[in-house]
Amino acid sequence: MAADGGIPAQPLPVAARAPGKCIVFGEHAVVHGAPALVMAIDLETQLFARAAPATSLNSDAEAVRENPYFREGLARAWPDGPPLAVRAVSRIPRGAGLGSSAAFSAALVAALGAVTGGIARRDLAQRAFEVERAAQGVGSPTDTAASVAGGCVALNGGDGPPLWSVRTDERAWEVRRVPDPGWVWVVAHSGIRRATGDQVRAVGRRLASADGAALLERFRTVAREGIAAVVREDRAAVAARMRENQALLTEVGVSHPRLEALLAAAAPAAEAAKITGAGGGGSIVVLPIPGREVDLTRRLARAGGLPFVVRPAPHGAGLIESGVRP
Ligand code: MEV
């Protein structure tokens, strides 16, 4: 294991945790190489693995075939390993754009990496991405990068310390640390679950159309300026770029009436709000007017959302060392 704060070796049984995420700038465009800003959030998945007579996930033996993240995780991080009983519990709503699948993939690869002698953080980032991408068929390493790194990170942007690059055969994404400005954020789930892969493919078709290159360039500019605004802790500029990013997401067709209703409900208590993640359902992220967080969560709940006040989770995926057993 490299000395990069990686996952140390540990025999079974093993317990791991990994945070969810919230994209502030650049979802969808990042799949095509544009910059993005993402933060790990303090909603997490915990996972516990022990030797067992047959492999299962939360007592379901069919999950080996039917849960693509579990199947791909075992194939990549536990090939030919003996049977395991895995339990996973999470506070991250599923299919909500808040990184539940990235957190599951990162926690599973971290746990199995520990049992197979430890794993360097950059390898954990690459492998967790490969699990998520194989399960979804498309996508960027944005969600898994946040879940593995913790805190705030930029993909293909920012000028902070480089962490690692994550690649497919066709493309590489540079992941850099962005200082956390220490702000409180609010996310709210619309209650509508959607498949990330379907949204990504639909936006890919839109970006391949006649004006697609110009549209992608506008996504690039907004994310680049948004990242710079976060670095200089300029809330007004961050809010302005969030609104522009939301207009672009609407233009590529990933909004939804329920998301629009949440954005409208948030407006009186928000500096800015936008869709976060793949859209088409899922969640919004809000930069609240300071001191109005409680009012904001009430407004969002009244509009039918499931709100969470979140802060960047400082630590990425890691082992749970104190005998905590989900
Ligand atoms: C999903 O959380 C973010 C997308 O940009 C897809 C991806 O980057 O893999 C929509």
Side-chain angles (χ1 to χ4, degrees), residues 21 23 26-31 36 97-99 129 132 136 138-143 173 194 196-197 199-200 203 276-279:
K21 68 75 173 92
I23 298 178
E27 50 274 273
H28 285 293
V30 68
V31 175
L98 298 176
F129 167 55
E132 203 189 29
Q136 284 175 186
V138 285
S140 81
T142 307
D143 299 10
W173 290 263
R194 84 294 161 265
T196 299
Q199 297 296 316
V200 169
V203 173
T276 186

Side-chain angles (χ1 to χ4, degrees), residues 22 37 50 53 83 150 219 221 246 262 267 270 284:
C22 168
L37 178 72
R50 63 177 167 79
F219 270 105
T221 305
Q246 173 57 26
L262 291 182
I284 64 165

Side-chain angles (χ1 to χ4, degrees), residues 287-299:
L287 183 61
I289 295 172
R292 299 283 297 277
E293 293 82 3
V294 173
D295 177 30
L296 177 60
T297 56
R298 274 201 206 103
R299 287 171 182 278

